[in-house]
Amino acid sequence: MPSLLRVEDIKKYFPVERGIFKKEVARIRAVDGISFSLDKGETLSLVGESGCGKTTVARLILRLLEPTSGAIYFKGQNISTLDRKEMFKVRGLMQIIFQDPFGSLNPRQRVGDIIGEALSIHNLAQDRRRERIGELLRTVGLEEECIWRYPHQFSGGQRQRIGIARALAVEPELMVCDEPISALDVSIQAQILNLLKELQERFDLSFIFIAHDLAVVKHISHRVVIMYLGKIVELAETEELYSNPLHPYTKALLSAIPTIEKRERIVLRGEIPDPSHPPKGCRFHTRCPIAKPECSEREPAPKEVTKGHLVSCYLF
Ligand code: SF4
């Protein structure tokens, strides 16, 4: 079966300009040649520290940013070349859930208008709009009466549910969840994750789930992609990644998850290098606890170590 989404060698460089003539002096390589696919009904998580390029990938998929090069295929169609009008049709099938549920909702609009606006833009449920908004609110665990209330009258978790209802309104096939629980209390995070899982089963949704640590994605992901400085360093099925991590960066991220049993924490030295001047060779060599001299000479290519488990490191 063909993938729902296929990202092929996608790159996004942002120019750094200086002076009154805005001369380009450098390019920030936010995403530097990454490829992956997503199946129908699958959740693929993109994980890495801030600045690794995961949010840029999300925006490229939705065409909120134009790629520097590479291609994105959605349902077999190359959407990176579509014009605005053609992209509008596709965009209804792809929705985003934002990190900040308050900032992403218009504080002057009632909940009914926020969700109704999504229906209007895509000309959906014209003759039964009120009924459909009620249905959507119930689907995400809210009362129908919420229709008359404003975003500030809800808790963070409830506001995220409103954001999810708005995304569901247009009957998407792909949802990009950009750190949807990181602004919420820990007690609420599990409720939102469970809701997303329920919705996935009910509507056969596919998710790209963005997170900055591995603690939150284990129970929601089918596969996990680890990103570092604009590149994929490891990609594997969730079980495999958590039980048999190979890349030193993945091991460091896993060691940071709090557990009951004592586990040695791998503390990475130094900061993430400047993405406009990434280190030569393996991009992780400046922080890698087991780097060898040759690691700074050539960049390791991704290698499939076992079926579906890719790693970019000279040790494999
Ligand atoms: Fe570390 Fe070298 Fe592997 Fe890079 S290639 S992760 S520097 S051991």
Side-chain angles (χ1 to χ4, degrees):
M1 200 175 72
S3 306
L4 179 74
L5 177 80
R6 199 152 46 84
V7 171
E8 274 188 8
D9 197 23
I10 199 94
K11 293 181 183 169
K12 180 64 187 176
Y13 297 169
F14 295 100
V16 180
E17 294 164 340
R18 292 255 162 80
I20 50 169
F21 297 111
K22 296 202 176 294
K23 189 167 176 261
E24 187 179 312
V25 291
R27 291 179 127 197
I28 295 172
R29 300 169 182 212
V31 175
D32 206 4
I34 72 165
S35 305
F36 60 83
S37 62
L38 175 77
D39 287 340
K40 187 122 186 78
E42 186 185 27
T43 299
L44 180 79
S45 290
L46 305 184
V47 181
E49 294 162 289
S50 21
C52 72
K54 56 193 189 297
T55 297
T56 306
V57 175
R59 279 157 174 64
L60 288 167
I61 291 170
L62 295 159
R63 286 279 306 275
L64 300 174
L65 285 172
E66 293 302 319
T68 304
S69 66
I72 297 164
Y73 293 87
F74 181 70
K75 299 181 90 175
Q77 182 181 27
N78 183 355
I79 59 165
S80 29
T81 53
L82 297 184
D83 63 25
R84 278 170 70 108
K85 213 168 146 194
E86 291 166 325
M87 193 58 211
F88 178 77
K89 288 183 213 152
V90 177
R91 196 159 279 139
L93 302 174
M94 304 168 147
Q95 288 293 300
I96 185 163
I97 301 168
F98 294 98
Q99 177 181 6
D100 174 7
F102 196 54
S104 66
L105 303 174
N106 184 341
R108 291 194 198 86
Q109 276 188 320
R110 292 178 200 269
V111 168
D113 296 327
I114 290 171
I115 300 172
E117 195 173 47
L119 293 169
S120 304
I121 292 171
H122 291 274
N123 267 329
L124 293 166
Q126 274 172 323
D127 47 341
R128 51 181 290 275
R129 186 149 301 172
R130 169 69 208 275
E131 205 185 322
R132 176 74 180 132
I133 296 168
E135 257 170 42
L136 286 161
L137 287 171
R138 286 195 302 277
T139 303
V140 298
L142 293 172
E143 304 281 331
E144 205 172 324
E145 289 65 45
C146 296
I147 229 167
W148 304 110
R149 291 160 63 190
Y150 290 93
H152 73 267
Q153 297 174 288
F154 295 89
S155 67
Q158 288 171 323
R159 285 197 286 259
Q160 196 54 291
R161 287 174 192 267
I162 297 166
I164 295 169
R166 176 178 57 185
L168 279 180
V170 297
E171 298 168 19
E173 294 187 33
L174 169 66
M175 295 250 246
V176 176
C177 309
D178 188 5
E179 306 217 28
I181 57 165
S182 54
L184 303 176
D185 289 344
V186 178
S187 57
I188 308 296
Q189 291 184 349
Q191 292 176 17
I192 297 296
L193 286 180
N194 288 339
L195 172 66
L196 290 172
K197 276 179 97 169
E198 255 173 63
L199 296 174
Q200 179 167 55
E201 274 166 35
R202 189 163 160 196
F203 301 111
D204 200 18
L205 291 167
S206 305
F207 290 136
I208 295 284
F209 197 95
I210 313 270
H212 60 265
D213 67 58
L214 279 165
V216 296
V217 301
K218 187 172 181 182
H219 301 291
I220 194 164
S221 318
H222 296 99
R223 288 185 300 147
V224 180
V225 170
I226 307 291
M227 288 186 67
Y228 185 79
L229 216 57
K231 295 264 186 193
I232 291 178
V233 296
E234 190 160 3
L235 187 166
E237 289 193 357
T238 309
E239 278 275 323
E240 167 73 4
L241 189 104
Y242 282 76
S243 59
N244 183 29
L246 298 178
H247 197 280
Y249 181 57
T250 311
K251 288 182 182 174
L253 289 180
L254 279 171
S255 80
I257 301 177
T259 51
I260 297 168
E261 74 270 18
K262 264 201 161 164
R263 184 161 61 186
E264 197 193 333
R265 172 101 197 252
I266 304 168
V267 181
L268 295 176
R269 59 200 154 94
E271 296 292 319
I272 300 182
D274 177 358
S276 58
H277 297 97
K280 242 186 103 207
C282 171
R283 291 189 178 190
F284 188 56
H285 85 261
T286 54
R287 300 173 80 200
C288 180
I290 52 167
K292 307 258 177 304
E294 58 270 30
C295 297
S296 59
E297 285 157 23
R298 275 180 307 118
E299 197 168 339
K303 188 174 161 196
E304 191 165 22
V305 181
T306 52
K307 195 170 180 309
H309 192 160
L310 269 92
V311 63
S312 302
C313 171
Y314 283 128
L315 299 180
F316 302 96

